[in-house]
Amino acid sequence: CDVAEVPDYLYTAVSSTYPIDYAASGLTAYGVTVKDGKAQLTPVSGLAAANSVVLVKGMQAATYPLVTTNSTTDTGTAVTSELKISNGTVTGDGKTVFALGKDANGIVGFSLVDNGTEVPDGTGYVTVTDATTSTIPLVGQSLAVSEEGYGTLYDGTNNLSVPAGAAAYTYKVANNQLLISKTYEEGSVIPKATGVVVKAAEGTYDLPISAEPGEADKANMLKGTDTEA
């Protein structure tokens, strides 16, 4: 059967000639759209149609058998995505081809492929004609910071890198006071399942997904949920 080989940074590109139920396969699937130098992820629900190219996330590095359907009528929904998978003949031009992986700082995303360098067979990639950087990170969360300069954040599945111009804080109770417990500065990693308060100028901030675990704060009193209220 078809399988997804999930690496240590937990994301890989997958396509199948059969309709696939990625949730039943133990995976979370996404369509990928590149905008303003970042890869935005759109969750895929239900059955994905045959030949859809999706980005999948596993809970750990492993081989995941892909579960199809026994239905003769449900062919699934085609996934809209800019993601492609190399067949071993795709080469970089040093300008437009970006391959999936993690960079030296542990940020998961797409990195520019040097001119003449082959994108390995089975590796996900995107083609971007107006790129201004050599890396295109996967966006784990987009956070709106209020005019007061604060926002709250929680992600139960991804480690997130603190974006430029922001800092994140956990809190603890000591002497009947709510105090800052740990500070995550710009570029540091907030571990998954960590509730934080983010301080920054008013605006919307994209937090890239990191393959690094970050440093957890056991004293943190802040909680969260991935379920929208």
Side-chain angles (χ1 to χ4, degrees):
C1 66
D2 289 344
V3 298
E5 299 286 353
V6 175
D8 61 351
Y9 55 88
L10 303 184
Y11 284 86
T12 192
V14 176
S15 182
S16 174
T17 55
Y18 301 97
I20 297 296
D21 186 335
Y22 286 101
S25 306
L27 300 162
T28 304
Y30 304 92
V32 178
T33 303
V34 178
K35 183 179 179 181
D36 298 329
K38 298 170 185 175
Q40 307 289 341
L41 306 182
T42 303
V44 174
S45 60
L47 195 67
N51 301 312
S52 294
V53 180
V54 300
L55 184 72
V56 298
K57 180 182 188 297
M59 296 303 296
Q60 61 185 8
T63 299
Y64 293 77
L66 300 182
V67 176
T68 187
T69 177
N70 293 323
S71 173
T72 58
T73 58
D74 187 359
T75 58
T77 302
V79 177
T80 300
S81 182
E82 297 176 19
L83 185 64
K84 307 177 184 71
I85 298 177
S86 174
N87 61 3
T89 65
V90 178
T91 57
D93 59 3
K95 297 178 182 179
T96 64
V97 179
F98 293 75
L100 180 65
K102 64 177 179 180
D103 68 14
N105 296 316
I107 299 299
V108 182
F110 300 91
S111 296
L112 184 64
V113 180
D114 291 336
N115 186 31
T117 298
E118 181 181 288
V119 179
D121 186 23
T123 299
Y125 72 98
V126 292
T127 302
V128 182
T129 58
D130 59 353
T132 58
T133 63
S134 61
T135 57
I136 300 173
L138 300 185
V139 174
Q141 294 277 351
S142 291
L143 175 68
V145 174
S146 68
E147 61 181 354
E148 287 80 18
Y150 291 94
T152 59
L153 181 73
Y154 177 89
D155 191 310
T157 60
N158 289 306
N159 306 316
L160 301 176
S161 178
V162 179
Y169 305 92
T170 58
Y171 281 82
K172 63 183 178 181
V173 174
N175 299 321
N176 294 319
Q177 298 182 71
L178 187 62
L179 305 173
I180 291 174
S181 178
K182 182 175 178 59
T183 301
Y184 295 96
E185 302 286 358
E186 174 184 325
S188 60
V189 177
I190 305 168
K192 64 182 181 181
T194 300
V196 295
V197 173
V198 176
K199 179 174 175 55
E202 181 181 6
T204 300
Y205 294 80
D206 291 328
L207 285 84
I209 295 170
S210 176
E212 300 300 318
E215 184 176 336
D217 178 14
K218 295 182 179 180
N220 186 24
M221 300 292 293
L222 299 180
K223 308 297 182 182
T225 178
D226 287 322
T227 304
E228 293 185 6

